[in-house]
Amino acid sequence: MLFSLLSWANLSAQGTKKVEWTKTFGGSEWDVGKAILVLKEGGFLIAGYTYSESTKSDGWIIKLDVTGKKVWEKKFGGSKTDCFYGITPDNNGSFVAVGYTESKGAGNMDAWAVKINAFGEKEWEKTYGEYGEEKAYAIDHTTDGGYVITGYNKTKGNRNGLVWILKLDGQGTLEWEKAYGGERGGGIPTDVGNAIISNASGYMVAAHTRSFGAGDEDIWILKLDLKGDTLWTKTFGGTKEEKAFDIAKTTNGYLIAGYTESKGAGSEDIWLLCIDEDGRLLWDKTYGGHSNEQSYAISPLDEGEYSLAGFSHSKGPEHSGLWIFGIDKDHNMQWETTFEGYSGNDKIYCIAPTPDGGLAAVGEAWTEGVKSELWVCKFEGKLMQSINWYVKEKITPWMQQGEFEKTTDYQKRISGINMKKVKDKYLKEATNYYGSKTINLKEASLSRYDANNETFGVSFPNFDKINIAVSINDAQIFKQNWEYVTFENPIFALKGDKLVLEKVVLKINGMTYDFNQPKPTDKSQELKFILSSKQADPGMMRGSGDPLKGLNIAKAEHITPGKYYALIIGIDDYKGQWNPLNNAVNDARAIENLLKNKYQFTHFRTLFNEEATRENIINQFLWLVENVKENDNVFIYYSGHGEFEKKLNKGYWVPVDAQTNSISIYLSNSDIQTFLASIKSKHTLMVSDACFSGDIFRGKTISLPFENSEKYYKSIYQLKSCQAISSGGIEPVMDGGKDGHSVFAYYFIKALNENHDNYLDASRLFERIKIPIVNNSDQSPKFQPVKNTGDEGGQFIFIRK
């Protein structure tokens, strides 16, 4: 499946909640998210479906971390259409997703339930139904350890569709089932259950009915006891169409969300109803404009406040759809957000509050050239709660004892000093993540020049102005070239409960300025950039600094490369007999950010810590084998433990799920060599910062000698290459080093960061890092083509943006 980061614009007519991130997942067909769970230990679980082919779909479950990055995805189903609509957790860390299947069961459509563990592995799978059509739309966990499901059944009764309730035990075995409804016919399902909530005394069901009520279709609320017997039912609606899609418990009753055609401002308006425990209407209110609005979800926020979501065709731009808003205790709208899309079919199906005081939403968003993509959004929470949630997500898997880890080793690993190190590491990581969101360096602005003091002021969102001294002779060209400024290596910090910019490097016109937050002991607390380096006669140019830009001369003979892919793997959190590392993930993330910001890489695949299992690493290699084309370029970076088995004369990468010294769970260099040979790229460069990583080289191959000319770069680009840089030979290498990086990673990052040439090939990069690494460690880095991988003597080329 492809992944993309949406640039959806969020628009609001009044107050709004700030969006932290918005992402989509999907392929070239129809992909939908129907339900989202917020995990207390961090992250999200989404259930929906994906059409891998236009004629079939699979039930689809995706796990995301708190930043919206995909941790794993699983697809379930057969050769026909299979979909998930709801998901619930149990008390043991597992989850049950429900929907319907055409691939299995007794009828043409059967209700379907699949239980998975925390890693997405299937524990059991069940179907429910007879020869007709049955669907499950919602599920809730019950107090006795079982589950209750609602949907509809077109086999029972008059076969036109009845609200259907199923009670399951913890293993998915059917304890009882009941159907509710009337005898009215007419093609579409007559009576449908859309949402259900469970408590110690029974169940509340939100449904719609064509059999009862005042109009064509009415909201129908059912209260049932623990055996499914009806305590009462109520209908709500006018002479037209009304439906209920969600229900939420309040202190004195229930809130029901749906839509109405019988009242409101438009043809369809969101309808919110509040009823007491006996089904009496306490109040109701409509929300919407001149066109159509529907709500599929309601969720509590702060005390007495709620959020509703669905779609609107009255709000936002012409092709908008996604709509989410909040109401106060008096039912008045406090904020709203719409998202610009490409089609009025965009919808939000589920929302949920997050532990940091934010909100998550999932649905579908239609885009140009794609039927639809699964859409997910996270609204900002409270800063310190967000940081704590981030840290908790990272620490939780590290705190768990490994299956093959002795108790003594486990207790030593999570001892006080190690615990502090890990917490501090992830606190720093969280601070930098939320700092980059809050103090967005890409939104930097330059003040009017102060000619008397010969300074500019640089301003960022949510941060104080930083002064920068520029001589009056250079000021005009400095301002003209401001749009080409870059900010590198930012570090953020917490001061109390406020984020501040601790350090950053500013580069413009060949000059480098450093900013460092003043120390408390500094007499002057002025925030200022200090000039740290200047290129000799950089020839400051107007515009981009390229004197031939626009003349079709400077780039007439330039290389026209294919796509640039990066697979980046970093592992710190080892267990069992493998000691945790301190810098591997930080190294990997720094290289990812550097390639994103300075070089022409567009496709990134990353595996950090618990994601970097042997299976996942192999799957990422296989993905590259399947997707990379013959003119593309692949960069692979591994930072973690390595091992060398002398008896076999073979080196290995050590994945995160290796807890013993058994080589069966490792990934051998010979296997990696096989994957490298199978990737169809024009150029592949693998960089391995691990012990014994030099074992990847077997035999000698020959490359073209370096020549600093356009002809040289065109020549080496045309020749296929598959090369590797290792942090050492067949020897241990250091984890510690400089500025939170290993020695190897520090100089590798430094060389790429300080490069000012448009082109930098792998051999020149190696020459820049070899001597400082040897002089500052006991390791000897290696660079060489990888034998038997199709290398023809070319070079991998890093191309600056």
Side-chain angles (χ1 to χ4, degrees):
M1 305 301 292
L2 301 176
F3 163 81
S4 64
L5 175 62
L6 264 185
S7 58
W8 296 90
N10 58 287
L11 305 103
S12 176
Q14 53 187 77
T16 187
K17 281 188 174 294
K18 189 173 181 182
V19 174
E20 182 178 320
W21 50 259
T22 305
K23 297 188 178 182
T24 60
F25 301 86
S28 59
E29 295 297 336
W30 190 17
D31 306 291
V32 179
K34 298 293 287 188
I36 187 167
L37 291 177
V38 176
L39 308 177
K40 291 181 180 179
E41 67 273 17
F44 308 89
L45 208 61
I46 297 170
Y49 49 88
T50 174
Y51 274 81
S52 55
E53 300 174 6
S54 59
T55 57
K56 69 173 288 286
S57 70
D58 288 325
W60 195 19
I61 299 178
I62 305 176
K63 184 178 180 181
L64 309 180
D65 69 11
V66 294
T67 70
K69 181 178 180 289
K70 183 167 63 178
V71 178
W72 52 256
E73 65 174 322
K74 301 288 183 178
K75 291 187 284 186
F76 302 87
S79 59
K80 297 182 181 179
T81 299
D82 309 291
C83 301
F84 289 140
Y85 281 82
I87 189 167
T88 191
D90 66 10
N91 294 328
N92 302 312
S94 297
F95 307 89
V96 177
V98 296
Y100 74 91
T101 175
E102 293 182 354
S103 303
K104 307 175 182 188
N108 63 355
M109 286 186 190
D110 273 15
W112 183 38
V114 177
K115 185 174 183 179
I116 61 170
N117 64 16
F119 304 101
E121 297 163 340
K122 185 168 64 177
E123 295 186 355
W124 53 253
E125 177 181 21
K126 305 279 186 178
T127 61
Y128 313 92
E130 300 177 61
Y131 54 85
E133 177 180 313
E134 293 86 23
K135 290 186 178 181
Y137 283 153
I139 181 172
D140 198 13
H141 187 238
T142 57
T143 55
D144 63 357
Y147 310 93
V148 62
I149 295 170
T150 191
Y152 73 84
N153 186 307
K154 290 186 73 173
T155 301
K156 298 180 180 298
N158 63 5
R159 302 180 189 175
N160 287 313
L162 299 173
V163 172
W164 194 28
I165 309 295
L166 300 88
K167 176 63 175 68
L168 314 180
D169 67 14
Q171 298 302 311
T173 302
L174 183 65
E175 294 183 340
W176 55 259
E177 61 171 316
K178 293 196 176 182
Y180 312 80
E183 295 297 322
R184 183 173 178 182
I188 62 173
T190 304
D191 306 307
V192 178
N194 291 310
I196 189 166
I197 53 178
S198 168
N199 57 46
S201 60
Y203 317 107
M204 289 290 295
V205 183
H208 60 264
T209 177
R210 297 171 65 88
S211 300
F212 311 111
D216 179 49
E217 207 157 7
D218 274 12
I219 289 174
W220 192 24
I221 307 300
L222 299 85
K223 185 169 185 177
L224 313 175
D225 66 16
L226 291 173
K227 295 181 180 179
D229 294 331
T230 303
L231 297 176
W232 54 256
T233 70
K234 301 283 184 178
T235 60
F236 302 91
T239 58
K240 296 182 180 179
E241 183 175 289
E242 283 77 34
K243 290 184 179 180
F245 291 110
D246 202 6
I247 185 169
K249 185 73 177 73
T250 67
T251 54
N252 61 346
Y254 301 89
L255 283 176
I256 299 138
Y259 74 91
T260 175
E261 289 183 350
S262 301
K263 53 172 66 180
S267 55
E268 293 176 355
D269 272 15
I270 287 177
W271 195 18
L272 182 63
L273 303 89
C274 183
I275 62 172
D276 65 15
E277 292 287 352
D278 296 318
R280 289 185 291 265
L281 182 65
L282 300 177
W283 55 263
D284 69 307
K285 190 164 185 174
T286 60
Y287 305 86
H290 63 279
S291 190
N292 297 335
E293 281 78 33
Q294 294 183 11
S295 175
Y296 296 102
I298 184 169
S299 177
L301 295 175
D302 296 327
E303 212 172 301
E305 298 179 354
Y306 289 83
S307 177
L308 290 92
F311 73 84
S312 170
H313 293 165
S314 305
K315 304 277 184 177
E318 179 183 358
H319 297 296
S320 66
L322 302 163
W323 187 31
I324 184 167
F325 61 91
I327 60 171
D328 61 17
K329 298 175 183 179
D330 298 319
H331 340 310
N332 297 315
M333 189 183 296
Q334 291 298 291
W335 59 268
E336 64 172 338
T337 304
T338 60
F339 296 82
E340 182 178 0
Y342 295 101
S343 169
N345 292 320
D346 305 337
K347 296 178 178 70
I348 297 174
Y349 291 113
C350 186
I351 53 178
T354 55
D356 61 352
L359 188 70
V362 72
E364 62 177 307
W366 291 60
T367 59
E368 290 179 323
V370 180
K371 287 187 176 180
S372 76
E373 292 180 313
L374 185 153
W375 175 94
V376 59
C377 175
K378 165 70 167 58
F379 289 85
E380 281 189 353
K382 298 174 182 176
L383 175 62
M384 296 310 298
Q385 294 178 21
S386 297
I387 288 175
N388 289 337
W389 193 36
Y390 184 109
V391 173
K392 184 176 181 180
E393 178 189 59
K394 300 298 182 181
I395 285 182
T396 297
W398 179 82
M399 284 291 297
Q400 296 171 354
Q401 184 172 355
E403 181 180 358
F404 306 101
E405 185 176 28
K406 291 182 177 181
T407 301
T408 52
D409 293 334
Y410 169 68
Q411 291 173 341
K412 180 181 178 181
R413 180 170 61 82
I414 65 167
S415 64
I417 187 169
N418 289 334
M419 175 69 77
K420 186 179 185 305
K421 283 182 180 179
V422 171
K423 281 187 175 180
D424 288 346
K425 177 176 69 174
Y426 288 127
L427 177 60
K428 181 179 178 181
E429 189 177 295
T431 301
N432 281 318
Y433 169 74
Y434 288 106
S436 67
K437 296 287 184 181
T438 304
I439 307 170
N440 190 344
L441 303 185
K442 294 180 180 179
E443 296 180 13
S445 61
L446 191 68
S447 72
R448 181 180 175 84
Y449 186 63
D450 182 348
N452 293 323
N453 293 304
E454 298 192 34
T455 59
F456 284 106
V458 180
S459 297
F460 304 102
N462 304 304
F463 194 65
D464 297 329
K465 182 178 70 174
I466 306 176
N467 292 323
I468 183 167
V470 180
S471 70
I472 199 164
N473 292 329
D474 294 331
Q476 189 172 3
I477 195 68
F478 185 98
K479 190 163 189 174
Q480 288 175 341
N481 281 297
W482 178 252
E483 63 179 301
Y484 302 105
V485 70
T486 61
F487 296 95
E488 298 175 0
N489 307 323
I491 297 176
F492 301 90
L494 276 169
K495 283 193 172 181
D497 59 354
K498 183 181 178 182
L499 285 164
V500 298
L501 182 61
E502 185 78 11
K503 296 180 180 181
V504 72
V505 176
L506 182 157
K507 291 188 176 181
I508 186 171
N509 294 336
M511 292 186 286
T512 301
Y513 299 83
D514 293 336
F515 166 74
N516 290 278
Q517 187 73 216
K519 296 179 181 179
T521 55
D522 293 345
K523 292 182 179 180
S524 172
Q525 290 294 302
E526 180 187 2
L527 304 181
K528 55 186 177 181
F529 281 101
I530 304 296
L531 181 65
S532 59
S533 66
K534 181 178 180 179
Q535 282 186 347
D537 190 20
M540 287 185 279
M541 306 292 178
R542 296 175 183 267
S544 67
D546 184 351
L548 303 180
K549 184 178 180 181
L551 299 179
N552 294 323
I553 297 174
K555 297 183 179 180
E557 298 296 327
H558 281 199
I559 296 168
T560 54
K563 298 176 182 178
Y564 271 75
Y565 292 84
L567 169 59
I568 299 175
I569 304 165
I571 309 171
D572 283 336
D573 295 345
Y574 286 96
K575 296 180 179 180
Q577 298 184 35
W578 289 101
N579 292 326
L581 298 175
N582 295 317
N583 301 310
V585 173
N586 190 42
D587 295 345
R589 290 189 187 277
I591 288 168
E592 177 192 12
N593 291 331
L594 179 58
L595 296 181
K596 281 182 177 178
N597 294 327
K598 291 195 67 170
Y599 293 90
Q600 293 186 12
F601 283 77
T602 53
H603 297 75
F604 287 84
R605 318 280 293 187
T606 59
L607 295 172
F608 299 135
N609 283 329
E610 71 272 12
E611 303 164 6
T613 63
R614 185 177 191 275
E615 179 183 3
N616 286 347
I617 294 172
I618 290 174
N619 285 339
Q620 291 301 326
F621 273 114
L622 291 174
W623 188 92
L624 292 172
V625 171
E626 291 288 332
N627 291 277
V628 171
K629 307 301 181 186
E630 291 182 354
N631 197 41
D632 295 338
N633 305 273
V634 174
F635 174 81
I636 300 167
Y637 184 89
Y638 172 77
S639 181
H641 275 304
E643 179 64 298
F644 185 78
E645 179 55 56
K646 292 183 179 179
K647 294 179 181 179
L648 300 176
N649 192 31
K650 186 179 291 188
Y652 299 86
W653 286 359
V654 181
V656 72
D657 49 341
Q659 299 173 22
T660 69
N661 290 326
S662 171
I663 63 173
S664 61
I665 194 65
Y666 302 164
L667 192 62
S668 72
N669 282 335
S670 58
D671 287 337
I672 294 168
Q673 184 176 344
T674 300
F675 285 124
L676 296 179
S678 302
I679 297 171
K680 305 180 190 70
S681 59
K682 172 71 77 173
H683 302 284
T684 298
L685 175 64
M686 187 185 77
V687 178
S688 181
D689 187 5
C691 296
F692 314 110
S693 52
D695 174 66
I696 190 71
F697 305 117
R698 294 296 182 183
K700 296 286 185 181
T701 56
I702 300 173
S703 299
L704 291 178
F706 171 69
E707 175 188 329
N708 191 8
S709 69
E710 186 77 23
K711 179 180 177 181
Y712 164 77
Y713 285 111
K714 290 189 69 176
S715 298
I716 63 170
Y717 190 82
Q718 296 306 316
L719 296 173
K720 183 178 174 66
S721 71
C722 184
Q723 303 160 313
I725 297 175
S726 67
S727 57
I730 305 178
E731 66 208 26
V733 298
M734 296 170 60
D735 178 42
K738 301 183 68 174
D739 293 347
H741 298 294
S742 73
V743 172
F744 174 84
Y746 174 82
Y747 287 108
F748 187 86
I749 293 167
K750 187 173 186 287
L752 283 175
N753 208 22
E754 294 180 353
N755 170 53
H756 297 288
D757 298 331
N758 287 336
Y759 304 135
L760 177 64
D761 67 56
S763 62
R764 291 177 63 210
L765 172 64
F766 180 73
E767 290 302 316
R768 293 181 184 184
I769 67 175
K770 178 176 64 175
I771 293 176
I773 292 173
V774 170
N775 289 346
N776 290 279
S777 71
D778 294 325
Q779 58 200 68
S780 300
K782 306 294 181 185
F783 170 66
Q784 206 174 302
V786 181
K787 193 76 171 178
N788 298 325
T789 57
D791 184 276
E792 298 173 355
Q795 290 279 344
F796 185 96
I797 303 174
F798 293 88
I799 303 178
R800 282 174 54 93
K801 286 185 175 179

